[in-house]
Amino acid sequence: MKKNGRWILTSIIAASMALPFTPSPAKAAAGVKIMLPTYAVNVDGKKIDNIHLAYPLINYNGVTYFPLTWNVGAGLGLGISWSPDTGLSVQSHNTKQNELSMEAGPTNTQASYTAQIAPFPVTIDGQTISNETATYPLLTFRDVTYFPMTWEFTVNRFGWKTSWDDRTGYSIFTQQQSLVWDRLIYDDASFLYAAATYNGGNRIVKIPKDFQGVPELLNDEEAAKVRQLAYPSPELNTAKQTERKGDKLYGGGAELLDVKAHTEKHTALYGPGISDVQYDEHVVKMNNGGTVFNLALRAPLASMTIADPDTHTYFVKNGKSFEIQAFDKTIQGTENAEGGIWLWSYAPTTQKSGNPIGSSGSIGKVLWIDNEGNTRLWNDTLKAEQLRVLKADKHALIVEAYRLTSPVTEPSAATQGYFRLQSDGSYEKLADYSNRHGYADRQGNLYELSGPNQIKNLTKNLSRQWKDSELASGQK
């Protein structure tokens, strides 16, 4: 990597092919100093064990080089040909691509080595490369051609993706990504279904749960059925179950909100002299006769583009009510269980500005209320900033704990991971969180889309990545 005011990732994939080329004395090549990379290098999610390779990755002029052996060329999806007359030819977007495999060899222990500038002609996708004047010329090392590809080659010409991270090093993704999986949205007994884009359009891809075979793009009719199952239309009940009497709102025969006192306290949101509120309500009946009222007040002077509604949640039973101040979010989902009920709110993927009163922007919260109205906010129990519910039944919830904020000077201490929550307050951690949008299927297995065309079963510790050439057979 080179430093130019900040770290700039110059993505050079040195892809090389074992060429039995020995220059004649008349064309003796100049020697140059090369080094082994001191950073990790990953290709399509696989870390390269550079110490034990016959033809290791090298670094020249701050750029990474790969050996262009036959195996490496096939693993990168590059077509390679050689002729004594025309030299080396490289073709990108080769339809046949194997899993990357590199030849093992003795331990590479030296800090630096000597390579030669390759004297033979080279063409890439038909374009001749002037190796004599190139800043990053082709090299030969251990009788193998080493081929440097800058950002111009890896990204602009080959269409690959590259990234640099201080912890994981330099990563290359060779997939062409005409098909991009976004997130898992549904499953049945045998398949997972992911929202995807294909050639710019929104599609659904069907992925076998056993990771065998090839994922398949659904046609429009099939995709519409899956979307309907994944996002069922809510049951609409526009009739208000709360009523206003004088200056107060009532629900279930109990007083919920003193409207006049509320608007007078928050004149910046309602204006002076206003004693009326507009609101949406969500009413949840509990098995024991209790009722939860969730009121989202629409303050006329608040910016709804940057804040949640001013939301209040109440537990009502036997004509008595109290406000659950810890749950100041609009209810997204509920699940009745023995002894009480689960409530949860929408869990965002990006952080937004907070509401000047009550809530502080969208936050995924999970609340347990028992039959007597005792509550447990699971964000506090887990010390989790955000909780997203992945699976709910009468026995337990499976949630994803994650954070969207982090202090500038030090990492946040907020809990992250996947957890199973029980109504009695016990819980267990199921898997670590790796900054991916998780999914729990109907059997309770956890999955993550972990990279280009790649999926992990976290529960069974299985992973599979498909090459674009493999996926082509499943595209409609």
Side-chain angles (χ1 to χ4, degrees), residues 182-336:
D182 181 18
R183 65 195 182 282
L184 294 167
I185 62 171
Y186 186 70
D187 72 282
D188 56 29
S190 302
F191 295 95
L192 299 160
Y193 298 86
T197 57
Y198 176 56
N199 291 338
N202 294 324
R203 302 289 296 273
I204 300 292
V205 64
K206 181 171 71 173
I207 306 166
K209 284 186 175 181
D210 60 6
F211 297 170
Q212 302 302 309
V214 178
E216 176 185 345
L217 271 176
L218 303 185
N219 60 35
D220 291 344
E221 182 179 353
E222 294 167 333
K225 292 179 180 178
V226 171
R227 290 190 183 98
Q228 188 174 17
L229 292 169
Y231 307 114
S233 299
E235 296 181 6
L236 297 178
N237 183 4
T238 58
K240 281 279 200 296
Q241 298 185 49
T242 55
E243 61 176 337
R244 181 166 177 172
K245 297 178 182 180
D247 292 329
K248 298 179 180 179
L249 283 178
Y250 289 82
E255 179 185 329
L256 304 180
L257 178 71
D258 187 322
V259 176
K260 184 177 180 180
H262 180 78
T263 56
E264 288 179 349
K265 182 179 179 180
H266 302 292
T267 56
L269 293 175
Y270 294 92
I274 294 178
S275 59
D276 191 19
V277 293
Q278 300 297 317
Y279 63 94
D280 298 314
E281 68 177 38
H282 194 136
V283 181
V284 184
K285 300 288 187 179
M286 297 176 63
N287 292 333
N288 71 321
T291 305
V292 175
F293 290 87
N294 185 243
L295 308 180
L297 311 181
R298 300 191 297 270
L301 302 184
S303 172
M304 293 298 104
T305 62
I306 64 171
D308 281 351
D310 176 26
T311 304
H312 300 259
T313 304
Y314 303 88
F315 174 79
V316 177
K317 187 177 181 180
N318 299 327
K320 297 181 180 180
S321 73
F322 69 87
E323 183 173 0
I324 306 171
Q325 296 184 348
F327 197 83
D328 54 355
K329 302 298 170 189
T330 301
I331 292 175
Q332 183 195 34
T334 67
E335 183 71 29
N336 270 291

Side-chain angles (χ1 to χ4, degrees), residues 13-17 65-69 72 76 78 145-149:
I13 196 93
S16 313
M17 153 180 157
Y65 281 63
F66 273 56
L68 203 63
T69 63
V72 171
L76 296 174
L78 300 175
T145 305
Y146 276 69
F147 200 110
M149 288 186 280

Side-chain angles (χ1 to χ4, degrees), residues 134-456:
T135 305
Y136 308 108
L138 278 78
L139 303 175
T140 59
F141 177 58
R142 295 182 179 174
D143 295 326
V144 166
T145 305
Y146 276 69
F147 200 110
M149 288 186 280
T150 59
W151 182 274
E152 173 63 26
F153 287 103
T154 56
V155 177
N156 294 345
R157 185 185 294 274
F158 294 168
W160 299 346
K161 292 184 179 181
T162 62
S163 66
W164 170 262
D165 182 272
D166 290 335
R167 180 175 58 88
T168 59
Y170 179 38
S171 296
I172 303 157
F173 295 99
T174 66
Q175 306 299 297
Q176 302 308 319
Q177 293 299 289
S178 59
L179 172 62
V180 180
W181 302 348
D182 181 18
R183 65 195 182 282
L184 294 167
I185 62 171
Y186 186 70
D187 72 282
D188 56 29
S190 302
F191 295 95
L192 299 160
Y193 298 86
T197 57
Y198 176 56
N199 291 338
N202 294 324
R203 302 289 296 273
I204 300 292
V205 64
K206 181 171 71 173
I207 306 166
K209 284 186 175 181
D210 60 6
F211 297 170
Q212 302 302 309
V214 178
E216 176 185 345
L217 271 176
L218 303 185
N219 60 35
D220 291 344
E221 182 179 353
E222 294 167 333
K225 292 179 180 178
V226 171
R227 290 190 183 98
Q228 188 174 17
L229 292 169
Y231 307 114
S233 299
E235 296 181 6
L236 297 178
N237 183 4
T238 58
K240 281 279 200 296
Q241 298 185 49
T242 55
E243 61 176 337
R244 181 166 177 172
K245 297 178 182 180
D247 292 329
K248 298 179 180 179
L249 283 178
Y250 289 82
E255 179 185 329
L256 304 180
L257 178 71
D258 187 322
V259 176
K260 184 177 180 180
H262 180 78
T263 56
E264 288 179 349
K265 182 179 179 180
H266 302 292
T267 56
L269 293 175
Y270 294 92
I274 294 178
S275 59
D276 191 19
V277 293
Q278 300 297 317
Y279 63 94
D280 298 314
E281 68 177 38
H282 194 136
V283 181
V284 184
K285 300 288 187 179
M286 297 176 63
N287 292 333
N288 71 321
T291 305
V292 175
F293 290 87
N294 185 243
L295 308 180
L297 311 181
R298 300 191 297 270
L301 302 184
S303 172
M304 293 298 104
T305 62
I306 64 171
D308 281 351
D310 176 26
T311 304
H312 300 259
T313 304
Y314 303 88
F315 174 79
V316 177
K317 187 177 181 180
N318 299 327
K320 297 181 180 180
S321 73
F322 69 87
E323 183 173 0
I324 306 171
Q325 296 184 348
F327 197 83
D328 54 355
K329 302 298 170 189
T330 301
I331 292 175
Q332 183 195 34
T334 67
E335 183 71 29
N336 270 291
E338 183 178 353
I341 193 171
W342 298 94
L343 307 175
W344 59 90
S345 61
Y346 167 75
T349 56
T350 57
Q351 189 72 16
K352 295 184 179 181
S353 300
N355 195 319
I357 64 170
S359 60
S360 56
S362 296
I363 296 177
K365 290 188 173 184
V366 172
L367 183 78
W368 167 256
I369 309 176
D370 71 16
N371 288 336
E372 301 307 315
N374 300 304
T375 64
R376 178 182 300 108
L377 184 67
W378 276 95
N379 299 67
D380 292 344
T381 301
L382 294 177
K383 296 181 173 56
E385 178 187 293
Q386 304 279 351
L387 290 178
R388 177 182 292 112
V389 174
L390 304 182
K391 188 176 187 296
D393 58 39
K394 63 181 180 180
H395 302 294
L397 296 189
I398 295 178
V399 300
E400 176 183 18
Y402 63 102
R403 65 171 182 255
L404 293 176
T405 62
S406 181
V408 176
T409 56
E410 60 184 71
S412 170
T415 300
Q416 299 193 90
Y418 297 98
F419 295 84
R420 178 180 285 109
L421 314 182
Q422 308 288 348
S423 59
D424 63 2
S426 62
Y427 63 92
E428 61 176 318
K429 187 174 183 180
L430 302 176
D432 289 329
Y433 175 77
S434 58
N435 200 29
R436 303 287 180 180
H437 196 126
Y439 181 83
D441 71 3
R442 60 191 59 207
Q443 290 89 11
N445 293 308
L446 285 166
Y447 298 87
E448 284 185 340
L449 298 180
S450 50
N453 301 338
Q454 186 173 32
I455 185 171
K456 287 184 178 179

Side-chain angles (χ1 to χ4, degrees), residues 84 88 100 108 351 438:
L88 177 66
L100 179 63
N108 298 295
Q351 189 72 16

